[in-house]
């Protein structure tokens, strides 16, 4: 048995994701665990489809077990997102590898860069670079260039490699025996506005859906059917003006003290955010008004999502406290049996099961609140309590 872990959002699950799972199995994986992002994504946006639909897509696409990446880590920076996902796979006690898509797929180079980025000289260089007013990502790239040269720095200019580096950094910090595997990405590039050989980026697919265009050609059959069913039921976010206004109306209620306590807010940013929220008619106007070299649009979207969810700073710097199972596939029971004997975190298979400690209860309570708020943003809103009514999917 060789168990591979994949950290993903599947927003939605498309042909490129199917290729990734197939390539991971071709590399020797007999079982596949997917750690799935929650309702609000790493981009700082509500996901296209509810978590339950994306879980079904993952199972139909070849996952044997789907675990939840709780909301505080799902909408965190690349470092926080990677820390949360890698930690969960490590604590399953049964994962052998962490497989991720990458432009080029050079595992050794990615691991080498990750090791350098975990050293004090790198951290010191990043701090110095930040004093010049550049973004955190740019400060990291500049520091890696100074320590390792152009080839290493180039890894941080490609989104999938950047995330891969963060996965490896997290595994190294954990002292984990889980080994990384970079699978070369095929087809259209990340966020590309074109298709290639039947593969399109998830962002392109979401744009096509919002425009009312057919996307079946870019999704596996089961995934396409699940998408059609969700759209027919209105259980998707269509980027409508109404959803934007729901978000904006809630954000306008936040005062500067609330904004100052959010993850990623510093240097008086709360004052600029507060002023923009009082004047802007859309969230795009807020980000356009406030963004700078230091505070990129993506970082601001995550901050605004945290404000909408009332997510306090600090959660994303810790690690998820439990392993929550969202769905099990054909070999899922086998993995669950092994995890019950080997996992080093509590295994959470039933929403009615009481969390084992206060921190776990806080995280689960927050997950429920985020789920309820997300349900209000769908084309046809869902009632509260979905975390309790959906249950573990099979």
């Amino acid at each position: 048995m060789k168990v591979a872990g994949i950290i993903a959002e599947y927003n939605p699950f498309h042909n490129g994701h199917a290729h990734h799972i197939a390539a991971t199995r071709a590399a020797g994986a007999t079982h596949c665990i997917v750690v799935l992002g929650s309702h609000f994504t790493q981009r700082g946006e509500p996901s296209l489809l509810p978590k339950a639909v994306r879980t079904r897509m993952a199972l139909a696409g070849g996952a044997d077990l789907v675990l939840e990446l709780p909301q505080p880590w799902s909408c965190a920076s690349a470092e926080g997102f990677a820390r949360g996902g890698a930690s969960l796979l490590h604590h399953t006690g049964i994962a052998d590898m962490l497989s991720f898509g990458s432009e080029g797929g050079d595992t050794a180079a990615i691991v080498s860069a990750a090791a350098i980025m975990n050293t004090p000289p790198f951290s010191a260089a990043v701090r110095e670079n930040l004093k010049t007013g550049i973004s955190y990502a740019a400060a990291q790239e500049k520091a890696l260039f100074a320590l390792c040269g152009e080839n290493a720095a180039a890894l941080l200019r490609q989104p999938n490699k950047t995330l891969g580096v963060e996965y490896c950094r997290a595994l190294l910090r954990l002292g984990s025996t889980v080994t990384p595997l970079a699978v070369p990405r095929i087809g259209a590039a990340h966020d590309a506005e074109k298709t290639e050989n039947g593969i399109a980026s998830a962002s392109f697919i979401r744009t096509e859906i919002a425009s009312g265009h057919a996307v079946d050609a870019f999704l596996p059959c089961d995934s396409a059917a699940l998408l059609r069913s969700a759209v027919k039921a209105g259980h998707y976010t269509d980027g409508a003006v109404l959803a934007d206004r729901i978000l904006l109306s809630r954000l306008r209620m936040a005062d500067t003290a609330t904004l100052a306590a959010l993850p990623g807010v510093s240097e008086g940013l709360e004052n600029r955010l507060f002023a923009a929220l009082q004047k802007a008619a859309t969230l795009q106007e807020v980000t356009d008004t406030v963004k700078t070299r230091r505070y990129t649009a993506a970082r601001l979207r995550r901050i605004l999502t945290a404000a909408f969810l009332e997510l306090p700073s600090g959660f994303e710097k810790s690690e998820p406290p439990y392993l929550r199972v969202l769905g099990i596939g054909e070999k899922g029971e086998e993995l669950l049996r092994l995890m019950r004997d080997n996992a080093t975190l509590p295994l959470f298979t039933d929403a009615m099961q009481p969390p084992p400690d206060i921190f776990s209860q806080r995280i689960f309570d927050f997950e429920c609140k985020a789920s309820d708020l997300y349900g209000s943003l769908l084309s046809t809103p869902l009632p509260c309590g979905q975390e309790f009514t959906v249950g573990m999917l099979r």
Side-chain angles (χ1 to χ4, degrees):
M1 175 186 285
K2 191 168 188 178
V3 180
I6 294 173
I7 304 166
E9 292 177 334
Y10 293 157
N11 190 31
F13 187 96
H14 56 63
N15 290 339
H17 297 132
H19 164 77
H20 178 209
I21 290 180
T24 301
R25 292 195 181 277
T30 58
H31 297 69
C32 179
I33 298 174
V34 168
V35 177
L36 188 70
S38 193
H39 289 303
F40 293 86
T41 70
Q42 208 259 323
R43 301 167 69 96
E45 299 170 347
S47 61
L48 171 70
L49 299 166
K51 185 166 54 182
V53 178
R54 292 180 290 116
T55 296
R56 293 188 187 280
M57 286 181 166
L59 295 173
D64 297 305
L65 190 71
V66 180
L67 302 177
E68 175 184 81
L69 180 61
Q71 191 61 74
W73 295 271
S74 290
C75 61
S77 65
E79 185 175 352
F81 182 88
R83 181 190 297 113
S87 171
L88 289 175
L89 287 174
H90 168 72
H91 286 293
T92 64
I94 63 171
D96 298 299
M97 69 169 81
L98 194 171
S99 174
F100 54 89
S102 171
E103 302 89 346
D106 190 344
T107 305
I110 291 171
V111 172
S112 178
I116 294 297
M117 291 172 69
N118 277 357
T119 63
F122 176 81
S123 299
V126 170
R127 287 194 296 271
E128 286 301 309
N129 293 337
L130 285 172
K131 293 177 182 178
T132 66
I134 61 178
S135 70
Y136 186 70
Q140 284 190 312
E141 182 187 326
K142 188 175 180 180
L144 197 56
F145 177 85
L147 292 171
C148 302
E150 169 60 22
N151 289 341
L155 294 173
L156 301 186
R157 298 185 197 125
Q158 297 173 302
N160 287 285
K161 283 185 178 178
T162 299
L163 203 49
V165 168
E166 293 296 346
Y167 291 147
C168 294
R169 290 183 73 187
L171 291 176
L172 289 170
R173 289 189 185 112
L174 288 163
S176 182
T177 59
V178 177
T179 59
L181 172 68
V183 173
R185 185 186 178 102
I186 65 170
H190 181 84
D191 279 351
E193 295 181 0
K194 62 179 182 178
T195 66
E196 186 177 326
N197 299 324
I199 294 180
S201 69
S203 59
F204 176 87
I205 293 170
R206 292 193 298 272
T207 299
E208 290 293 283
I209 292 170
S211 301
H213 298 155
V215 296
D216 285 19
F218 311 123
L219 279 63
C221 291
D222 288 333
S223 188
L226 286 163
L227 174 62
R228 287 194 301 271
S229 178
V231 170
K232 183 178 180 180
H235 296 159
Y236 72 109
T237 56
D238 60 0
V241 173
L242 177 60
D244 193 80
R245 288 182 178 175
I246 291 172
L247 285 157
L248 188 60
S249 64
R250 183 172 172 86
L251 292 172
R252 283 181 173 177
M253 297 172 67
D255 56 23
T256 53
T258 300
L259 294 172
L262 296 171
V265 172
S266 60
E267 303 167 325
L269 177 67
E270 65 274 14
N271 297 310
R272 297 178 60 219
L273 277 172
F274 180 80
L277 286 167
Q278 304 311 304
K279 297 178 181 179
T282 66
L283 292 183
Q284 185 65 51
E285 285 184 32
V286 175
T287 57
D288 288 345
T289 300
V290 179
K291 69 181 180 182
T292 61
R293 286 199 303 165
R294 173 68 62 86
Y295 293 99
T296 63
R299 182 175 178 181
L300 289 171
R301 284 196 302 268
R302 285 194 293 271
I303 290 171
L304 291 172
T305 294
F308 176 69
L309 299 175
E310 298 180 335
L311 171 63
S313 181
F315 281 169
E316 78 288 352
K317 296 178 182 178
S318 59
E319 296 176 6
Y322 52 72
L323 296 156
R324 185 184 181 200
V325 181
L326 297 179
I328 56 175
E330 188 175 343
K331 301 177 184 176
E333 291 287 1
E334 184 179 1
L335 293 175
L336 276 180
R337 285 195 297 271
L338 289 171
M339 285 173 60
R340 288 190 177 100
D341 292 333
N342 295 280
T344 50
L345 284 177
L347 191 58
F348 196 13
T349 58
D350 185 347
M352 300 306 293
Q353 174 184 342
D357 53 59
I358 294 175
F359 183 57
S360 296
Q361 184 68 63
R362 287 185 67 197
I363 296 298
F364 183 63
D365 287 347
F366 184 81
E367 190 70 34
C368 293
K369 181 174 76 171
S371 178
D372 292 343
L373 288 170
Y374 172 81
S376 71
L377 302 179
L378 299 179
S379 181
T380 299
L382 286 168
C384 292
Q386 293 296 303
E387 296 300 318
F388 295 92
T389 58
V390 172
M392 187 173 67
L393 302 172
R394 294 178 181 268

